[in-house]
């Protein structure tokens, strides 16, 4: 695999010290950070501001009512932000992430006595009430922690598992936690079969790379998510050991909470607004009881707006990388893949195949729809179409597709349980072949502008911009 190219704009590179506060300084220096100094209510006022500025500005709230710490949100505005953090170009994010999955890197251990995150202990009597937890949507069940990286260890491989789970705060020490199918659920189930509690650490206030690493596919039990994060960085990730339970945690996170899943305990959690921008239902959920907490000096808490760009992209790019790896194993002509924002970076996929690979598009469609259970709509295009340009994809659909020839419907397949149009997670899937058959390429030749003096065009454009 070729090494990733550098960022399109080297002056926008993120500093080598990669953590939440350096990321905030980075977006501030680029003019993308807004500050709210007036007091805001955590009940839907924070989320209203973040929703209005989603995709436009990151926000730092200096005064959240009843909380003791400032709050940051909208840390990722676009795929370009992710590319800046990863040190690559926007269209290379899935490939760069796939490289980190293929070649994870050991972290750098830091003594707990030197770790910034353990600078100060949280008051154990007010573990949750001092934090700026928010009610995001009108019908949410209560105050939620949406950005915490939940850290556990696989008891068989001892690999560290990170995940972002929605957590409903109850009182000062209880979090009711949605645990979807995946490695965390398997680890928790194994502990409950033994009748024991499962130790956890909850990390809040990290950079986008750690958020991305937490979404690495959990099919490989030996994959350590902290090592994936380390591979995404320019330098190894500083990691320390939580004194409460021995779990590894990022040394320069803003907050760490320690606790345990109570074996077999289930309590009602939800509803909560989810990635399809509809509500996930209420259901019995595992329960975490907190025992301790720490934070850095002058810490900043972090919230992820559910249904916002940060939510979509942190989850979407790792899914793209996993699907790209799956497709290339049997279809080497696959060039790139994108899970679109319109489909919450979960439900809709666009795949580019090498132009001239006649006859394989339908096979790629079937592999795409089967390779990611949440994907319910997939389009395959030739690689002369920029899959990151919605207008070009729409153009391919308009000029290269005949519905009676190029559309595939697969009924009654497993889909996303949060898709409101599905029935108990069972959905129909749609595939569209928007590639050009080899015999018809002369009819689909694209218009090109080829000036006789191409070297002059930039000069002309500069003159036009100045006038």
């Amino acid at each position: 695999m070729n090494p990733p190219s550098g960022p399109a704009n080297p002056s926008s590179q993120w500093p080598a010290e990669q953590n939440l506060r350096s990321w905030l300084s980075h977006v501030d220096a680029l003019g993308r950070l807004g500050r709210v100094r007036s007091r805001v209510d955590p009940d839907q006022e924070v989320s209203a501001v973040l929703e209005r500025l989603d995709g436009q500005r990151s926000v730092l709230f200096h005064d959240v009512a009843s909380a003791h710490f400032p709050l940051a949100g909208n840390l990722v505005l676009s795929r370009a932000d992710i590319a800046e953090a990863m040190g690559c170009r926007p269209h290379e994010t899935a490939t760069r992430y796939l490289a980190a999955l293929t070649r994870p890197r050991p972290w750098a251990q830091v003594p707990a006595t030197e770790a910034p995150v353990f600078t100060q202990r949280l008051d154990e009597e007010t573990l949750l009430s001092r934090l700026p937890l928010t009610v995001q949507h009108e019908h949410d069940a209560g105050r939620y922690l949406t950005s915490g990286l939940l850290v556990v260890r696989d008891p068989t491989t001892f690999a560290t598992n990170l995940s972002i789970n929605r957590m409903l705060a109850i009182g000062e020490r209880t979090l009711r936690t949605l645990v979807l199918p995946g490695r965390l659920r398997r680890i928790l189930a194994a502990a409950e079969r033994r009748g024991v509690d499962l130790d956890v650490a909850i990390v809040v206030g990290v950079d986008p790379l750690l958020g991305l690493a937490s979404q690495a596919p959990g099919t490989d039990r030996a994959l350590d998510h902290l090592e994936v994060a380390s591979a995404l960085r320019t330098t190894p990730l500083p990691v320390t050991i939580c004194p409460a339970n021995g779990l590894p945690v990022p040394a320069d996170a803003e907050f760490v909470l320690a606790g345990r899943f109570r074996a077999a305990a289930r309590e009602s959690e939800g509803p909560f607004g989810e990635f399809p921008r509809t509500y996930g239902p209420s259901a019995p959920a595992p329960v975490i009881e907190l025992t301790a907490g720490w934070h850095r000096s002058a810490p900043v808490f972090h919230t992820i707006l559910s249904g916002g760009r940060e939510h979509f992209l942190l989850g979407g790019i790792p899914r793209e990388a996993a699907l790209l790896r799956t497709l290339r194993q049997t279809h080497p002509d696959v060039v790139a893949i994108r899970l679109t924002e319109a489909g919450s970076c979960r439900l809709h996929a666009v795949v580019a195949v090498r132009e001239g690979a006649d006859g394989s598009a339908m096979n790629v469609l079937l592999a795409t729809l089967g390779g990611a259970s949440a994907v319910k709509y997939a389009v395959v295009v030739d690689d002369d179409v920029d899959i990151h340009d919605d207008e070009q994809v729409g153009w391919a659909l308009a000029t290269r597709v005949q519905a009676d020839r190029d559309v595939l419907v697969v009924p009654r397949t497993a889909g996303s349980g949060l898709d409101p149009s599905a029935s108990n997670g069972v959905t129909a899937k749609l595939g569209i072949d928007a590639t050009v058959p080899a015999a018809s390429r002369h009819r689909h030749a694209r218009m090109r502008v080829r000036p006789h003096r191409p070297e002059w065009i930039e000069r002309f454009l500069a003159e036009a911009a100045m006038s």
Side-chain angles (χ1 to χ4, degrees), residues 37-253:
R37 302 186 186 278
S38 300
R39 175 162 292 189
V40 297
D41 192 323
D43 186 349
Q44 300 178 80
E45 286 188 358
V46 167
S47 55
V49 173
L50 294 177
E51 184 179 58
R52 189 72 61 88
L53 295 177
D54 186 31
Q56 302 173 50
R57 288 179 76 78
S58 303
V59 185
L60 180 61
F61 299 91
H62 288 264
D63 186 358
V64 179
S66 301
H68 287 237
F69 307 100
L71 177 66
N74 285 2
L75 297 188
V76 173
L77 303 176
S78 68
R79 189 179 292 263
D81 282 0
I82 295 290
E84 286 176 14
M86 297 174 79
C88 65
R89 299 176 187 273
H91 67 276
E92 297 171 327
T93 51
T95 302
R96 174 74 179 89
Y97 194 89
L98 184 55
L101 290 180
T102 305
R103 297 188 296 273
R105 178 168 65 175
W107 67 68
Q109 188 154 331
V110 175
T113 54
E114 299 176 15
V117 72
F118 295 129
T119 299
Q120 189 168 337
R121 194 169 184 122
L122 283 165
D123 181 356
E124 295 182 6
E125 300 304 315
T126 56
L127 270 179
L128 292 175
S129 62
R130 291 178 175 233
L131 303 179
L133 305 180
T134 65
V135 179
Q136 291 199 353
H137 316 102
E138 179 184 11
H139 299 301
D140 286 355
R143 297 190 310 145
Y144 271 84
L145 172 53
T146 60
S147 66
L149 301 187
L150 203 157
V151 184
V152 300
R153 269 195 147 161
D154 188 295
T156 303
T157 65
F158 299 102
T160 310
N161 186 82
L162 305 179
S163 60
I164 300 178
N165 305 72
R166 73 188 202 207
M167 304 184 204
L168 173 63
I170 303 294
E172 294 292 352
R173 293 173 173 269
T174 302
L175 295 167
R176 300 176 185 174
T177 307
L178 178 67
V179 180
L180 295 173
R183 189 160 67 168
L184 173 60
R185 181 182 281 190
R186 293 195 298 270
I187 293 171
L188 176 59
E192 291 185 328
R193 284 194 296 271
R194 300 194 307 272
V196 299
D197 294 345
L198 177 66
D199 285 332
V200 301
I202 300 167
V203 178
V204 182
V206 298
D207 63 81
L209 297 180
L210 268 159
L212 286 167
S214 75
Q215 303 302 293
T219 51
D220 181 0
R221 294 187 64 175
L223 183 67
D224 190 297
H225 288 170
L226 289 174
E227 292 184 350
V228 174
S230 195
L232 287 170
R233 296 164 51 93
T234 55
T235 58
L237 175 72
V239 170
T240 190
I241 301 302
C242 180
N245 50 30
L247 289 170
V249 296
D252 54 2

Side-chain angles (χ1 to χ4, degrees), residues 53 88 240 247 261 263 297 330 345 401 407 426 459:
L53 295 177
C88 65
T240 190
L247 289 170
F261 276 110
S297 176
T330 52
C345 293
V401 173
V407 176
V426 176
R459 174 179 174 177

Side-chain angles (χ1 to χ4, degrees), residues 300-333:
V300 177
F301 207 74
H302 174 212
T303 188
I304 294 177
L305 176 67
S306 187
R309 290 294 189 279
E310 186 172 9
H311 183 187
F312 293 167
L313 290 163
L314 288 182
I317 288 171
R319 286 170 170 82
E320 289 174 353
L323 186 52
L324 182 63
R325 177 171 59 185
T326 298
L327 292 177
R328 283 179 172 170
Q329 287 172 350
T330 52
H331 301 285
D333 288 320

